[in-house]
Amino acid sequence: MTTLASLPVTLRLGPVDLVVTDLNRSVTWYERTLGLRLHGRDSRVARLGDKSGACVVLHEDRSAAQPGNHAHLFHYCLLFDTREELARTALRIERAGGQVKCRDRHTHEAVYIDDPDGITIELAWDKPRDAWPEEPYGHAPAPLDMEGLLATVAGEEPSDVIRDAAMIGHLHFVTGGIDESIAFYRDLLGFDLKYNVGSENYAVHAAAFFSVGGYHHQVATNLLAGTGVGPFSAKVVGLKRWTIELPTPADLEETRARLESGGASVTDAERGFVVRDPWSIPLHVCS
């Protein structure tokens, strides 16, 4: 299914801004456990990423609580450019004593880990597109071939930092309705609805996956907290905002006009605007 007016297929996801309770602790963990590079920090904010720039921005709020019965970040994905980099990161996590869950998601290989505040990060490498099944999310993931993954870096010296490229691959949110998600993310914002899994009668299974250009998903929503959950709160650990980078100012203007004509809440922001979904999850759209 495709919207009449879609986002450009050349969009990319920009840095994800996260709320953490102890900036020093989180910076140490992201550097030592994940191997991200520090690109700058002050007393309340730190920017980390690969050698080309930041993809994660940490904001300290020592009073932030854990998410409750409201819309919130389920996980975000740090996508590696190569399978070898995923393997190196898995080894780095093991060396640091981290606990992981490993899954073959059929479209990509994934290693899940929680940061010190319990924010779940999916570390992933995409398989070649011709290997993707037609319906990857209608059934359970498979066990990850860890032996095969680690074999890609056999004999290498341990790496303290990410060598190859890493970027935000997707974000997954807990929300309160699949139909409302489709009405916003597809019909207003302009993503394609790639997969619609399950039913609101079986909330634990229901999810919608959105993308452009045939990708498996850049954003997803689920009903793991049931229908009718409360709005997003900025006073909890997890998401502060996420970012979409559009290729041209014309794309930015067209997207803003579409959102405003549909009644979405839009406010000015650097290089673009911030829009909120039906649960008030903030998205920064820029060019």
Side-chain angles (χ1 to χ4, degrees):
M1 301 177 69
T2 305
T3 57
L4 295 177
S6 294
L7 291 166
V9 298
T10 50
L11 72 75
R12 58 170 286 150
L13 299 186
V16 59
D17 288 70
L18 302 170
V19 175
V20 299
T21 57
D22 186 328
L23 188 62
N24 288 332
R25 179 183 67 174
S26 292
V27 167
T28 298
W29 186 88
Y30 275 84
E31 287 184 306
R32 295 181 180 176
T33 303
L34 295 191
L36 296 187
R37 301 165 188 256
L38 185 64
H39 286 276
R41 66 165 293 178
D42 57 29
S43 61
R44 299 289 299 275
V45 180
R47 302 175 61 83
L48 301 104
D50 62 11
K51 59 186 177 182
S52 66
C55 57
V56 175
V57 183
L58 305 177
H59 301 257
E60 184 179 78
D61 181 353
R62 290 188 171 271
S63 66
Q66 289 295 315
N69 188 31
H70 50 77
H72 61 272
L73 178 67
F74 183 50
H75 67 250
Y76 74 92
C77 171
L78 188 62
L79 181 67
F80 295 111
D81 192 46
T82 66
R83 194 180 187 211
E84 289 80 2
E85 199 60 64
L86 178 60
R88 294 183 191 113
T89 304
L91 289 172
R92 192 179 304 114
I93 292 170
E94 181 182 34
R95 184 178 62 188
Q99 300 296 313
V100 300
K101 295 180 180 178
C102 303
R103 301 286 187 270
D104 185 330
R105 302 296 308 186
H106 308 295
T107 53
H108 57 285
E109 296 183 341
V111 175
Y112 297 87
I113 187 170
D114 291 347
D115 81 355
D117 282 292
I119 301 169
T120 300
I121 307 159
E122 179 180 342
L123 309 166
W125 166 76
D126 279 338
K127 298 181 180 183
R129 288 203 181 197
D130 58 10
W132 294 1
E134 187 172 337
E135 294 289 342
Y137 298 114
H139 45 84
L144 180 61
D145 177 14
M146 283 299 293
E147 183 177 348
L149 175 64
L150 298 181
T152 64
V153 293
E156 282 191 7
E157 289 295 319
S159 172
D160 291 332
V161 296
I162 291 175
R163 299 179 185 177
D164 299 327
M167 61 180 291
I168 300 301
H170 66 260
L171 295 98
H172 198 143
F173 302 119
V174 175
T175 62
I178 297 300
D179 289 344
E180 296 92 331
S181 292
I182 293 171
F184 177 80
Y185 287 101
R186 184 191 68 183
D187 300 338
L188 277 184
L189 186 55
F191 278 108
D192 298 329
L193 176 61
K194 185 67 173 176
Y195 310 106
N196 188 353
V197 180
S199 161
E200 293 194 2
N201 295 322
Y202 301 93
V204 70
H205 301 298
F209 297 81
F210 304 91
S211 72
V212 293
Y215 192 60
H216 51 78
H217 67 298
Q218 276 108 356
V219 61
T221 66
N222 67 51
L223 298 183
L224 289 175
T227 58
V229 298
F232 169 85
S233 171
K235 299 296 185 181
V236 300
V237 298
L239 185 74
K240 184 176 181 69
R241 72 178 188 183
W242 63 294
T243 299
I244 290 175
E245 298 176 349
L246 300 180
T248 70
D251 294 317
L252 188 68
E253 292 177 9
E254 179 182 329
T255 302
R256 179 166 188 161
R258 184 167 64 248
L259 288 161
E260 289 179 331
S261 68
S265 172
V266 178
T267 57
D268 291 336
E270 63 272 25
R271 297 168 40 229
F273 60 87
V274 170
V275 62
R276 294 178 178 270
D277 80 353
W279 299 274
S280 201
I281 294 173
L283 164 63
H284 179 213
V285 184
C286 63
S287 174

